[in-house]
Amino acid sequence: MESREFVHLVRDVLDAEPDVRERAADEVTDRLSAYSPAHASALATLLSAAAVCEKEAVVLEADLHAILELMSTGYVMRDHVSPLCEIRLEELPPTLREYVTDLLED
């Protein structure tokens, strides 16, 4: 992945518009084979931090799914997703709570 593409994806993950953020998280999963270990770990860390702040359930779910897919590359370690520890599980719907718990247990 070229630096220009990576920066564009990062900007979209952090966009003010929920639909752009959701689409960006979906794009992360579509391009798994394009990431170097550095790209994958950086995206996982960024998505984890973004998930902590995310108010839209559909975007949070997309973020968590993207993180799970990034972890499947073997490039992402638990430390990269440690921001997820900041999420208050009791405030999440049960399905999203399970997602976060599974990601932190891997």
Side-chain angles (χ1 to χ4, degrees), residues 9 16 42 49 71 91:
L9 184 57
M71 290 184 86
E91 295 177 2

Side-chain angles (χ1 to χ4, degrees), residues 9-81:
L9 184 57
V10 166
R11 285 181 179 147
D12 284 353
V13 165
L14 300 175
D15 197 89
E17 294 298 320
D19 60 323
V20 175
R21 293 192 308 272
E22 181 184 10
R23 219 174 19 255
D26 290 341
E27 185 178 339
V28 167
T29 64
D30 293 341
R31 304 189 67 188
L32 290 176
S33 63
Y35 304 129
S36 68
H39 288 143
S41 60
L43 282 170
T45 301
L46 177 65
L47 284 163
S48 296
V52 172
C53 305
E54 187 56 62
K55 301 297 183 208
E56 300 291 330
V58 67
V59 180
L60 177 57
E61 184 172 7
D63 287 348
L64 296 173
H65 179 72
I67 295 164
L68 182 66
E69 292 295 319
L70 285 165
M71 290 184 86
S72 75
T73 66
Y75 300 143
V76 178
M77 304 304 147
R78 189 176 185 283
D79 286 349
H80 297 125
V81 300

